[in-house]
Amino acid sequence: MAAIYSLYIINKSEGLIFYKDYGSKGRMDTNDSLRVASLWHSMHAISQQLSPINGCSGIELLEADTFDLHCFQSL
């Protein structure tokens, strides 16, 4: 069963507009949260531009050993 450790909401200009930490394990400070949000948004945007497939929506999932990073886009 997957657990949600944190939630980031980022606007199109890479600004972090909401952050919520749901667990005490591995809690980050505000600056680290801003860096992660900015880095993830940048990787997602660059992957859209570099994709050889027209209309690609970019990286949707990044799987690591200890966590998964998901990207959900609103309309």
Side-chain angles (χ1 to χ4, degrees):
M1 183 173 164
I4 297 176
Y5 296 113
S6 55
L7 173 68
Y8 298 86
I9 299 178
I10 307 164
N11 62 15
K12 286 188 176 189
S13 62
E14 297 184 29
L16 181 63
I17 57 176
F18 180 79
Y19 169 70
K20 176 73 175 170
D21 192 4
Y22 292 102
S24 61
K25 185 178 180 181
R27 196 168 275 202
M28 292 187 292
D29 66 6
T30 304
N31 287 334
D32 289 337
S33 299
L34 288 169
R35 281 188 212 105
V36 167
S38 178
L39 178 65
W40 179 242
H41 182 273
S42 298
M43 286 178 13
H44 176 76
I46 290 169
S47 69
Q48 284 178 323
Q49 295 173 2
L50 293 178
S51 174
I53 300 169
N54 289 335
C56 177
S57 62
I59 298 173
E60 295 178 0
L61 172 64
L62 176 71
E63 294 183 44
D65 291 339
T66 57
F67 66 92
D68 293 345
L69 257 175
H70 294 265
C71 181
F72 299 104
Q73 293 186 42
S74 63
L75 294 176

